[in-house]
Structures are given as C-alpha cells and as structure tokens.
C-alpha cells in the first residue's frame, strides 16, 4: 500500500469498549426513568456502535494494511517493580473476535425485544447482556494477563446474573451454584498459571512474555523429592525426584482455566444448565461468546503452549473426550435447547482438539463459523419455544414445518452447517480440524518410529507427541461426526416433521408431567391450557434468524483461504496469512518461512485447491460418509419407523446405555455430591471437631478442671488450724520429693 501508514485510532477502540458499558448503565441504573423502550434503545444503540466500529477496525487491519495496535492506556497501580495497566492489543485475531462478539450480541439484543416482551425484568436483562458484551470486549482486547483475568471474572460474574435471572426459581439457583462452583476450579488453575508467568518473566505484558517465551524452555521446578518423612522416619517412595517442566506447569494451569470457561470435560457440567436464564438468550450468549474465551486464550498463548508437548497432549486428550462423549449425551435429550447445548459442548471439543494438534488458526476459524450457525440454532430453538407457547419438550411437537416455515428453513440451514455438509460454513472449519487431527496422528506415528529406531541414540529428554493420544484424538473427532449428524437430524425431525403430537399432548393434559425434568422451565408468566395452534415468531425473532443463516452458508466458503491457508478466497493467489504475528510457532530452522509445527500450513500443500476443490475432496473422505450415515439412521428411526426408538430405549441394552447417558456419566454427582457435598461434609466434621474437641474437651474441659480444683481447694478453707497444718505438711512432702527427684 502506498501513501501514509494506516494507524488504528485509540478513541475508536475506547468507543468500542465503552459504548456497551454506557448502554448497560442507562438500562440498569436508570431503567425506571427511561422505560422499556429507552432501555432497549440505549443498549442496542451501544452494541450497534461497537459492532460497526469493530467491523471498521477489522477492515483497516485486513484491507488497508493497518499496523497492529499495542498500547497501555491507563496505569492503575504500581507495586514494587510491577505495574498494572489497562491496555489494548489489537491484531487480526482480536479484531475477528471483536466482530463475532459484537455481531452476535447485537442480534441477541434485537431478539430479546420479542422474547422478553412480557417479563417484568425487561430493563434489568438488557443491562446484563450489554454488560456481558463489555466484559467480553475487555477480555479479548487486553494486552496483559491481569486485564485478561479482569475480563475473565467480569464475564463470569455477568454469567451468574444471567443464569440466575429468575432468582426465585429453585432450578436457576441450583444452576447458578453449579456454574459458580465449577468455574472457581477453572479460575484457580488460571490464576496459578498467571502466577507462573509472573514468576518466570517478572511481567504480565503479552508482548514481553511472548518475545521471551523461550526462557521457559528447559526451566524445571522440583515438585517432590520422591520421599515421605513422618515421625522422624523417611521412606523413599520413588527412585527419582518428581521434576516438572515450567512450560508444562504454566500451560496446563492456564488451560485448566480455559476448561472452565470453554466447558471441557470434567468442567463442562455448568453449560447445559446455563439455560435456566431466559432461554435461548442466556444459552446463546454463553455458547456463542463466553465459551469462546478459553479457545481464544489458548490461541493467543500459542508461543507458550508450543514449548510443551506434554501440555498439548493434555489439551488434545481433553478436547477429544469432550467432542465425543458430550455429543453422545445429546442423543437422549428431549429438551430442544439442551440438545443444542450438548452440541455446543461437542463442537468446543473440536476446537480444543485443533489447539492440541497445533492447528490454532483452525480452532479460531471453527470458533468464528460455529458462532454463527450455533447462534442460529439457539435462536431457532427459541423461536420454536415461542411458537409453541413455551413448550420445550420435542416429544410434544412434530409437524411444525407448515406453521413455522422461516424457523424451519433456518433450522435446516443451521443443522446442515453443524453436521459439516460440504459448501456450508461448518464443513470448512470442521473438516480442517479432522484433517489436522489425522495429520497429527501421522506425525506422532512417524516420530515414534524414529525414536524407536534411534534407541539409546535418541536425544536425552526428547519427547515427541503421544502416539496413543494422537490416535484417540483422531478417532474421537471422526466418530463425533456421526453422533453430531444423528442427534441434529433427530432434533429436526422430532420438531418439524412427522405427526403433530402437540395436539395429543395438550388434549391429554400431559403438559408439565413428563418424566424428563428439564423442560418447561421458561413459562415465565405465559401459562396456557388446552391445545393451541403454533405460530411463526414475530419479526424481531425471524430477522436475526435470517441474518445468521446467511453467514452460516457462505462465510466458510469465502474466508477459509484468507484465514487459514494464506491465499485469496479462490485459493489461486498467495496472500499474507491472516493470523501472521497473532499466532506464532517455534521455528527450529529460522531460514524456513513456515514452521514444521504449523499443522494447518502442512495441510495446505496436500488439500488446498480452492473452496470448491476442498468441498469436492471432502465428499470422498470418511467424515462426509459418517455424517451421511447419521442422517440416514435418524431419517429411518424418526421418519419411517418412529416406534423403534422407544423399543430400543426400553430394551435391556438400550436401557443400560440410556441410563449412563441420562446420568451424564455421573459428572453432576462428581461435582454436586462429591466436590460440593464433600466440602459440606468436611465442614461438618471440622465443626464437630471444633465444638466437641477444641471447645468441649480443651476449652470447656479445662474450665471444668479448674472449677473442680477450686471446689476441692475451697473445702480446705475451713478455718480450723489443723486443716492448714495438714495442708502445709502435704506441701512440704511434695516439695521435698521433687527436690530429691530432680536435684543432681
């Protein structure tokens, strides 16, 4: 580009952050003065300004070639050599996140007008979702770990406000407690990771830490000597002391924070319950924005994670487990919004797998495409709930296609994108992740063979990728495609096709008496009796659906080349890689343009011949046929043989497997009965020890002993001379005895 260098404006960046905050303050503190119209106008205007300016910043970075912005704006404390700043680091990764967050938030704001129209907490809710947007922007725009943590906790705080929005509802209170509990575990790990960064680098500034990231390489911390010492005795348990790599310790601690926010097994249990707030808004703003924080954080920390293969293996294992096993739970869910929630968990697992195989750009790319089609599916589920007068059980729907044509067609588009249908957005991001996992599997196998051949000649301490984790990761994401396709089309068929079961349900007075206890939570003042005619949702609901359906189809097709492979959208002309400088890799050979560890660029040589060629190639690969298999099985079971699922479920094997999935692998029991319940029991034991041993035996016992001694002594105070003489003689005998005993 010729002419003057384009610079990002500090004032524009401040406006992006502060506009939603201003809207939140107006709706929250002055809601009664401005009324409903004033509250939604102020908040929507604030988020719209933020969205428009975010798009402008992305345009400046991508098209005009503006330099990334990294500057401290405000210093709020100095302690010793450490200074705490508020600052922004804006590059293409950040700008893309800003656009995703503000765009989804804007549509959520519009949608809320229709969904919350009759709710008494209307202004309060608009204040919360605007504050949520502000917190997310502070998180993604930060240029240091401290501000990142502030945004991290602020997002969590607003999350609790949203989950517990209907604070008189017991289920909302319970869901809130669960979210708080699980996220505190994640935050503890995150804080330890930040502490490790401060310890090693003496600063929390991104640029400084990443520039000196190699300082972590080779640094180790002794964790345990391998011996246990008790009662003056020492037992050697291990031959060698336990020494951890500082890079591994730091990255795993940081990732535990990401596990909490991005709902990875076993810290995933809070996300399905996040819908206890106004469905589907609360669910959507969590699923499309908040949970992306963990994925974004690991991608941002790529220079650190690349230093530890152990940490990457850990990330891959957790992601693969989440991708497959949370998806399986979605098969047995009957609440429409919960199926979409478990699909979110599964797709977050795919993103995490991409992080674990060093395909950071693919993870962030899937984050972007997923935000659009998952937002579409959540809002479509909400549209169904509105049209069904707040019924949420899919078994009480059916045949809604003719009543809700816009909702049906947009749901179909979202489903096709989710299952990875070629040419839809989800295909380009999801297929790339699966190919990256396959490439990683191949690399791990090759490295394993080379190390085996070298034997004792292998470099001391060298660790390649774990072969069994690489195999597990690939097969988990591959099987996850079949599972995703099955439960997605199951939702579509049960809701929009087949018999109109809602007539039977309401004629039979079945509403609210289902064995599945997760439905009918959102009838906030919309009670109904008897059969009702479903209806299409108002325009404030359908317009966001249409606006989300467009990127769900096209955005992957037009952006995969620039964002992942460093070409134009056609794939024929080379361009600057989108995430260059934002996502970094170790280059063992400085002369090479591309690091050998850059999994996505390794795929480019083999697969990338433009979006059309990529889609045609995808049709010949296993993921496509597995997705087709899931579609055919769902079609057979729910369109042609609708009686079969019930028979399978009631069979011995079916009932056994269904019970495991219904119980969600007992993860809730682990946290509620185990962790929380264990904490309560520990508190009771502690209280018992305090009251009975410390207070009872020590304090009260001593007092009773003193009292007894006083009573005995009082009896010696008789006034008779011989009593005093007797006491003196006894005292002298005891004194003489002590002198004889101890005098040497």
């Amino acid at each position: 580009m010729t002419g003057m260098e384009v610079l990002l404006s500090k004032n524009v960046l401040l406006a992006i952050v502060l506009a939603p905050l201003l809207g939140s303050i107006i709706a929250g503190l002055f809601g009664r003065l401005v009324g409903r119209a004033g509250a939604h106008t102020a908040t929507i205007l604030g988020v719209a300004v933020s969205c428009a300016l975010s798009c402008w910043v992305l345009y400046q970075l991508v098209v005009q070639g503006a330099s990334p912005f990294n500057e401290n704006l405000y210093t709020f404390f100095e302690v010793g050599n450490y200074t705490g700043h508020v600052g922004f680091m804006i590059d293409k990764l950040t700008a893309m996140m800003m656009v995703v967050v503000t765009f989804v938030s804007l549509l959520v704001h519009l949608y809320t007008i229709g969904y919350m129209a009759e709710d008494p907490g209307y202004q309060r809710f608009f204040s919360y979702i605007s504050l949520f947007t502000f917190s997310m922007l502070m998180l993604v725009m930060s240029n240091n770990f401290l501000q990142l943590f502030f945004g991290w906790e602020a997002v969590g705080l607003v999350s609790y406000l949203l989950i517990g929005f209907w604070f008189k509802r017991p289920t909302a209170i319970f869901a809130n407690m669960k979210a708080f509990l699980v996220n505190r575990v994640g935050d503890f790990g995150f804080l330890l990771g930040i502490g490790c960064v401060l310890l090693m680098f003496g600063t929390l500034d991104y640029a400084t830490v990443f520039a000196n990231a190699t300082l972590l390489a080779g640094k180790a911390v002794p964790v345990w000597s391998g011996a246990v010492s008790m009662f003056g005795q020492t037992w050697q348990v291990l031959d060698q002391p336990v020494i951890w790599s500082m890079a591994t310790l730091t990255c795993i601690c940081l990732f535990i924070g990401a596990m909490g926010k991005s709902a990875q097994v076993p810290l995933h249990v809070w996300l399905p319950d996040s819908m206890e707030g106004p469905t589907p808004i609360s669910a959507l703003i969590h699923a499309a924005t908040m949970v992306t924080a963990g994925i974004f954080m690991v991608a941002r920390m790529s220079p650190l994670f690349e230093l530890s293969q152990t940490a990457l293996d850990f990330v891959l294992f957790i992601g693969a487990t989440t991708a497959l096993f949370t998806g399986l739970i979605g098969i047995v869910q009957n609440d429409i919004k919960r199926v979409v929630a478990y699909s979110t968990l599964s797709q977050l697992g795919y993103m995490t797998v991409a992080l674990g195989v060093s395909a950071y750009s693919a993870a962030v790319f899937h984050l972007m495409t997923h935000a659009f089609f998952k937002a579409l599916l959540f809002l479509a589920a909400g549209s169904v709930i509105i049209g069904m007068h707040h019924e949420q059980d899919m078994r009480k729907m059916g045949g809604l296609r003719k009543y809700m044509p816009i909702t049906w067609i947009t749901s179909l588009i979202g489903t096709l994108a989710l299952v990875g249908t070629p040419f839809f957005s989800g295909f380009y991001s999801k297929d790339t992740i699966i190919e990256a996992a396959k490439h990683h599997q191949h690399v791990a196998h090759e490295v394993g063979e080379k190390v085996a051949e070298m034997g004792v000649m292998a470099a001391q301490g060298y660790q390649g990728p774990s072969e069994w984790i690489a195999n597990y990761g690939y097969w988990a994401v591959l099987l996850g495609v079949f599972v995703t396709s099955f439960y997605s089309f199951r939702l579509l068929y049960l809701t929009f096709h087949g018999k109109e079961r809602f007539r039977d349900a309401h004629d039979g007075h079945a509403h609210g008496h289902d064995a599945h206890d997760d439905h009918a939570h959102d009838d906030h003042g919309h009670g109904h009796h008897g059969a009702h005619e479903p209806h299409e949702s108002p325009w404030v609901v359908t317009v966001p659906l249409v606006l989300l359906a467009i990127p769900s189809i096209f955005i992957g097709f037009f952006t995969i080349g620039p964002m992942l492979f460093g070409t134009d959208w056609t794939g024929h002309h080379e361009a600057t890689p989108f995430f260059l400088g934002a996502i970094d890799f170790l280059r063992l050979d400085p002369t090479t343009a591309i690091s050998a560890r850059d999994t996505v660029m390794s795929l480019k040589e083999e697969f990338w011949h433009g979006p059309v060629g990529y889609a045609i190639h995808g049709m010949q690969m296993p993921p496509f046929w597995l997705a087709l298999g899931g579609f055919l099985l769902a079609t057979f079971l729910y369109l042609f043989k609708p009686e079969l699922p019930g028979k399978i479920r009631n069979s011995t094997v079916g009932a056994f497997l269904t019970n495991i999935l219904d119980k969600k692998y007992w993860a809730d029991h682990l946290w509620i009965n185990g962790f929380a319940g264990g904490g309560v029991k520990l508190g009771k034991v502690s209280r018992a020890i305090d009251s009975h041993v410390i207070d009872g035996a020590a304090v009260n016992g001593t007092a009773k002993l003193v009292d007894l001694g006083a009573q005995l002594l009082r009896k010696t105070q008789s006034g008779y001379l011989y009593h005093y003489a007797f006491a003196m003689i006894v005292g002298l005998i005891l004194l003489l005895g002590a002198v004889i005993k101890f005098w040497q």
Side-chain angles (χ1 to χ4, degrees):
M1 184 177 172
T2 58
M4 291 181 63
E5 184 184 6
V6 178
L7 297 173
L8 299 181
S9 167
K10 188 190 302 182
N11 292 332
V12 168
L13 297 175
L14 281 169
I16 290 171
V17 172
L18 295 177
L21 180 62
L22 181 62
S24 175
I25 291 170
I26 292 171
L29 299 182
F30 305 102
R32 290 187 180 179
L33 291 174
V34 299
R36 290 185 165 224
H40 71 232
T41 303
T43 51
I44 291 171
L45 191 62
V47 176
V49 166
S50 188
C51 184
L53 293 178
S54 296
C55 292
W56 169 244
V57 167
L58 184 62
Y59 175 80
Q60 285 183 302
L61 286 165
V62 175
V63 179
Q64 297 186 343
S67 302
F69 181 94
N70 185 14
E71 192 177 320
N72 293 326
L73 303 179
Y74 178 71
T75 302
F76 60 94
F77 72 79
E78 291 184 20
V79 179
N81 296 324
Y82 179 70
T83 308
H85 299 286
V86 174
F88 295 150
M89 182 177 184
I90 312 298
D91 52 20
K92 289 177 184 176
L93 174 61
T94 304
M96 186 214 68
M97 287 293 298
M98 288 158 59
V99 170
V100 169
V101 168
T102 53
F103 180 70
V104 170
S105 179
L106 178 60
L107 295 183
V108 165
H109 277 70
L110 287 171
Y111 187 98
T112 302
I113 297 174
Y115 194 84
M116 299 293 286
E118 300 172 42
D119 197 278
Y122 189 84
Q123 294 100 309
R124 178 165 60 95
F125 192 75
F126 271 99
S127 178
Y128 289 172
I129 54 177
S130 252
L131 188 61
F132 190 100
T133 310
F134 161 75
S135 305
M136 273 300 300
L137 288 169
M138 285 296 288
L139 188 158
V140 299
M141 293 170 70
S142 64
N143 72 343
N144 61 83
F145 285 87
L146 189 67
Q147 188 179 327
L148 174 73
F149 188 73
F150 161 76
W152 199 266
E153 291 304 302
V155 166
L157 171 66
V158 188
S159 164
Y160 309 137
L161 293 174
L162 286 170
I163 295 169
F165 182 76
W166 291 314
F167 49 84
K168 293 182 180 178
R169 181 186 296 169
T171 51
I173 297 166
F174 180 74
N176 225 349
M177 183 194 75
K178 192 190 291 186
F180 182 85
L181 176 72
V182 174
N183 273 288
R184 291 295 66 75
V185 175
D187 289 352
F188 181 67
F190 191 48
L191 203 55
L192 286 176
I194 293 173
C196 289
V197 170
L198 184 60
L199 175 69
M200 295 306 298
F201 298 98
T203 179
L204 293 179
D205 182 69
Y206 286 166
T208 310
V209 170
F210 298 156
N212 299 291
T214 50
L215 290 176
L216 277 179
K219 290 281 178 59
V221 56
V223 177
W224 182 34
S225 65
V228 176
S229 298
M230 289 179 74
F231 311 114
Q233 299 291 321
T234 301
W235 293 274
Q236 197 68 34
V237 180
L238 299 176
D239 297 333
Q240 298 289 331
V242 178
I243 299 173
W244 285 358
S245 157
M246 200 63 196
T248 299
L249 181 62
T250 303
C251 292
I252 287 180
C253 284
L254 288 170
F255 180 66
I256 288 170
M259 285 167 65
K261 277 289 180 288
S262 291
Q264 297 297 292
V265 171
L267 304 183
H268 67 287
V269 295
W270 68 269
L271 185 60
D273 294 84
S274 69
M275 293 161 299
E276 288 299 337
T279 309
I281 307 163
S282 176
L284 167 61
I285 207 157
H286 283 90
T289 52
M290 176 177 164
V291 294
T292 62
I295 308 297
F296 166 80
M297 186 270 289
V298 177
R300 173 64 78 205
M301 309 302 158
S302 56
L304 299 180
F305 278 82
E306 284 298 299
L307 296 167
S308 173
Q309 186 58 55
T310 305
L312 289 173
D313 284 341
F314 179 69
V315 172
L316 174 56
F317 178 79
I318 294 292
T321 305
T322 306
L324 179 59
F325 289 95
T326 58
L328 287 168
I329 299 173
I331 293 173
V332 299
Q333 297 297 311
N334 295 310
D335 185 312
I336 186 170
K337 65 186 187 321
R338 284 186 180 263
V339 178
V340 186
Y342 280 103
S343 115
T344 302
L345 288 173
S346 181
Q347 297 309 304
L348 286 165
Y350 277 83
M351 298 174 208
T352 307
V353 164
L355 297 171
V357 300
S358 295
Y360 303 97
S361 55
V364 178
F365 184 56
H366 193 48
L367 181 159
M368 178 193 75
T369 61
H370 174 262
F372 293 113
F373 60 75
K374 188 50 57 74
L376 173 60
L377 286 169
F378 266 120
L379 295 190
S383 179
V384 168
I385 293 167
I386 294 171
M388 288 292 296
H389 301 268
H390 293 263
E391 177 62 78
Q392 295 173 188
D393 193 332
M394 295 186 299
R395 293 168 297 182
K396 298 175 182 176
M397 298 179 186
L400 296 184
R401 181 176 58 169
K402 69 178 182 182
Y403 300 99
M404 308 179 74
I406 299 172
T407 303
W408 170 69
I409 194 71
T410 50
S411 295
L412 179 61
I413 291 168
T415 300
L416 291 172
L418 173 64
V419 303
T421 310
F423 297 102
F424 284 76
S425 292
F427 161 77
Y428 291 101
S429 54
K430 196 171 175 180
D431 213 62
T432 305
I433 292 173
I434 296 168
E435 290 295 348
K438 188 179 180 180
H439 174 80
H440 179 75
Q441 181 195 35
H442 180 67
V443 169
H445 182 66
E446 281 190 342
V447 170
E449 283 188 338
K450 285 181 182 176
V451 171
E453 284 174 12
M454 294 173 73
V456 293
M457 298 294 292
Q460 186 68 27
Y462 174 76
Q463 185 185 10
S466 167
E467 201 169 340
W468 77 266
I469 291 179
N471 289 330
Y472 172 67
Y474 173 63
W475 284 105
V477 292
L478 201 57
L479 292 171
V481 173
F482 176 83
V483 173
T484 302
S485 179
F486 178 75
Y487 67 63
S488 298
F489 283 104
R490 173 180 177 265
L491 182 151
L492 206 65
Y493 292 145
L494 282 175
T495 306
F496 295 102
H497 297 263
K499 183 184 175 187
E500 296 178 359
R501 293 180 302 278
F502 55 85
R503 300 187 188 279
D504 299 337
H506 287 278
D507 288 343
H509 304 285
H511 181 67
H513 300 286
D514 198 273
H516 186 71
D517 62 358
D518 292 328
H519 85 286
H521 291 318
D522 293 285
D523 197 4
H524 44 283
H526 302 275
H528 57 280
H529 302 281
H532 56 255
E533 286 292 307
H535 57 84
E536 187 61 271
S537 300
W539 71 268
V540 288
V541 174
T542 54
V543 167
L545 288 177
V546 174
L547 290 176
L548 285 166
I550 296 166
S552 297
I553 301 172
F554 298 112
I555 200 163
F557 185 92
F558 289 105
T559 58
I560 182 170
M563 289 188 74
L564 292 192
F565 298 121
T567 67
D568 66 344
W569 73 268
T570 64
H572 300 313
H573 304 286
E574 294 294 317
T576 306
F578 187 87
F579 294 112
L580 186 67
I583 294 171
D584 205 6
F585 296 89
L586 287 175
R587 287 197 178 92
L588 302 175
D589 184 0
T591 59
T592 57
I594 298 169
S595 168
R597 291 188 62 88
D598 192 341
T599 307
V600 172
M601 293 310 277
S602 301
L603 296 176
K604 178 183 177 181
E605 302 296 325
E606 189 175 353
F607 298 114
W608 182 244
H609 305 290
V612 176
Y614 199 69
I616 292 168
H617 172 266
M619 291 180 185
Q620 305 163 32
M621 301 304 287
F624 173 76
W625 295 105
L626 284 166
L628 185 63
F631 160 72
L632 292 173
L633 182 61
T635 305
F636 176 74
L637 288 176
Y638 292 96
L639 278 190
F640 297 109
K641 295 287 184 181
E643 72 279 359
L644 264 183
K647 290 179 181 177
I648 294 169
R649 189 175 181 125
N650 293 328
S651 66
T652 307
V653 176
F656 175 74
L657 296 173
T658 302
N659 183 52
I660 295 172
L661 296 175
D662 275 335
K663 294 285 194 305
K664 305 159 195 169
Y665 315 113
W666 290 271
D668 281 350
H669 292 76
L670 169 69
W671 289 108
I672 303 305
N673 300 336
F675 197 81
V680 170
K681 286 174 183 173
L682 193 64
K684 287 180 178 176
V685 170
S686 175
R687 185 175 178 181
I689 291 170
D690 181 58
S691 58
H692 292 99
V693 178
I694 297 172
D695 285 346
V699 178
N700 296 338
T702 305
K704 286 177 182 176
L705 193 64
V706 170
D707 186 58
L708 181 64
Q711 294 288 347
L712 292 171
L713 284 170
R714 190 179 294 121
K715 290 181 178 180
T716 64
Q717 307 293 316
S718 62
Y720 295 106
L721 186 61
Y722 61 87
H723 281 169
Y724 293 115
F726 178 75
M728 287 173 66
I729 291 165
V730 171
L732 282 169
I733 291 168
L734 292 173
L735 181 62
L736 286 168
V739 169
I740 293 165
K741 175 70 176 173
F742 298 105
W743 185 268
Q744 298 291 339

